[in-house]
Amino acid sequence: MPELPEVETIKQELDKAIVNKKIIGVVVNNAKVIKEPKKEKFVAELKNVAIKKIIRKGKLLILELSSGKSLTIHLKMTGQLIYPRQGGASPVKATRVSFKLSDGKFLDFNDSRVFGELRLIDDWRKLKFIQELGPEPFDLSPEKFRQMLKDKKTKIKVLLMDQKFISGIGNLYANEALFRARIDPRRPANSLSDKETDLLFREIKKVLLDAIQHKGSSVDQYVQLSGKPGEYVKYHKVYDREGKECFKCKGKIKRISLSGRGTYFCPICQR
DNA sequence: AATGGGACCTGCGCGC
DNA sequence: TGCGCGCAGGTCCCAT
């Protein structure tokens, strides 16, 4: 789903495609995704405002505007940003909000499950989500990462997905990073040796960077800004491979549930 | 403090 | 072929 690599891919594409363009109109097909302010105010305050800068924090996208406000976009599970809209004037079924830009083209926010969240706010730094967000893997040292795990008894995989602990990692990359580091997802975080912790830290950063290079993983709804799928799926080792052969040992990939999330691993390779 | 489960939603794939 | 059901996961919220 959209995790750090997918959101970063979109961020980089938005940088090239829409910065310094102006929003000349907003069409709302489903107001549920607009969390603040109310729809009418949201639409009115976005009119004739230019997009100055794109920022990504964890899985959150932030568009800083010439009005001084910011538009934040969380894709949650099935959100997409598409630009320019393909096929002319009519949006697709899942298009919840459309932004008409000064070049006459549409930036569409699509979200089949309507979990996504748009906010137009004065200061994104004051958002609760932002204030509570943990550091990104790239902002940490191996020493700091070790320290963070030291007194945590939580299962390592659940901890990696906790955005307040570390930001950007979701279910897919938590599974993949743990496979690469050969660590059982059920292990308590503080049971990892220094060596295992360092290896895990390296593999987290590697898998995220690899995925960014391949423009993310299109397993469900995620696509790039252009609508093209991301290509990292072909490099997945465990995610969504229950019962299939482990590429390393030929054993069977197992699926269990941790905190209600599908967890895939190789019981032979991961200890 | 840590953990689990439900809620938010829709679409898909499965079994019958 | 059609239908109902379970499931997918990011985040929040509540209960234990």
Side-chain angles (χ1 to χ4, degrees):
Chain A
M1 315 301 130
E3 303 178 25
L4 189 152
E6 288 75 27
V7 180
E8 176 63 20
T9 299
I10 294 173
K11 188 257 171 196
Q12 291 176 9
E13 296 169 322
L14 287 172
D15 273 339
K16 287 183 248 165
I18 69 164
V19 168
N20 288 330
K21 289 181 183 167
K22 198 188 260 184
I23 298 169
I24 60 173
V26 182
V27 180
V28 179
N29 299 314
N30 188 331
K32 274 217 172 82
V33 297
I34 299 171
K35 299 301 169 182
E36 61 180 305
K38 293 231 185 308
K39 173 187 161 185
E40 291 72 23
K41 199 170 176 205
F42 181 89
V43 170
E45 292 195 352
L46 277 172
K47 215 172 171 176
N48 294 319
V49 158
I51 297 149
K52 299 310 290 179
K53 189 178 179 189
I54 319 286
I55 298 166
R56 180 191 57 74
K57 290 285 170 190
K59 304 174 194 172
L60 186 72
L61 272 173
I62 301 155
L63 279 57
E64 287 187 342
L65 308 169
S66 58
S67 60
K69 298 202 172 213
S70 292
L71 173 64
T72 68
I73 303 175
H74 201 305
L75 301 173
K76 294 290 181 83
M77 267 121 45
T78 54
Q80 304 176 327
L81 278 177
I82 303 287
Y83 174 88
R85 177 193 297 165
Q86 300 298 299
S90 53
V92 298
K93 188 178 167 198
T95 299
R96 310 303 181 189
V97 178
S98 298
F99 303 90
K100 188 170 189 185
L101 303 187
S102 43
D103 58 7
K105 296 173 181 166
F106 285 97
L107 170 68
D108 285 338
F109 175 71
N110 300 346
D111 185 9
S112 68
R113 288 175 68 181
V114 205
F115 280 2
E117 300 189 347
L118 306 184
R119 290 171 204 277
L120 181 62
I121 51 176
D122 287 328
D123 186 356
W124 58 265
R125 290 170 185 82
K126 288 189 180 144
L127 262 189
K128 185 165 173 261
F129 179 82
I130 290 290
Q131 301 232 318
E132 293 179 350
L133 201 61
E136 299 208 356
F138 304 114
D139 297 333
L140 291 172
S141 64
E143 294 73 29
K144 176 74 182 152
F145 187 64
R146 262 189 244 170
Q147 240 178 56
M148 286 165 63
L149 293 193
K150 205 176 60 192
D151 49 354
K152 295 284 184 184
K153 292 178 221 144
T154 315
K155 295 176 186 71
I156 183 63
K157 190 225 172 195
V158 175
L159 195 60
L160 292 181
M161 288 175 64
D162 179 352
Q163 303 303 299
K164 298 184 172 88
F165 178 77
I166 192 166
S167 58
I169 306 168
N171 200 30
L172 200 162
Y173 295 107
N175 281 307
E176 294 297 323
L178 285 163
F179 175 80
R180 286 166 167 245
R182 293 184 226 111
I183 293 167
D184 189 313
R186 296 166 293 189
R187 295 261 305 273
N190 63 2
S191 76
L192 272 61
S193 68
D194 284 353
K195 209 176 150 189
E196 287 174 319
T197 306
D198 288 355
L199 177 62
L200 176 59
F201 183 59
R202 285 200 303 275
E203 293 301 338
I204 287 170
K205 290 190 292 184
K206 255 163 66 182
V207 77
L208 295 176
L209 287 173
D210 282 357
I212 291 171
Q213 289 234 310
H214 291 89
K215 310 285 184 192
S217 301
S218 290
V219 289
D220 188 8
Q221 299 271 312
Y222 161 75
V223 289
Q224 303 177 49
L225 189 63
S226 62
K228 280 190 299 190
E231 289 169 356
Y232 196 63
V233 192
K234 33 181 179 197
Y235 302 93
H236 293 179
K237 307 291 190 228
V238 288
Y239 184 77
D240 206 17
R241 297 196 64 245
E242 182 183 17
K244 302 208 170 129
E245 252 186 26
C246 171
F247 294 125
K248 206 176 276 174
C249 75
K250 307 294 176 198
K252 269 196 165 61
I253 302 298
K254 201 173 164 191
R255 180 190 186 278
I256 59 172
S257 179
L258 292 185
S259 288
R261 297 288 167 254
T263 301
Y264 302 86
F265 67 109
C266 172
I268 298 168
C269 294
Q270 293 173 255
R271 299 287 177 169

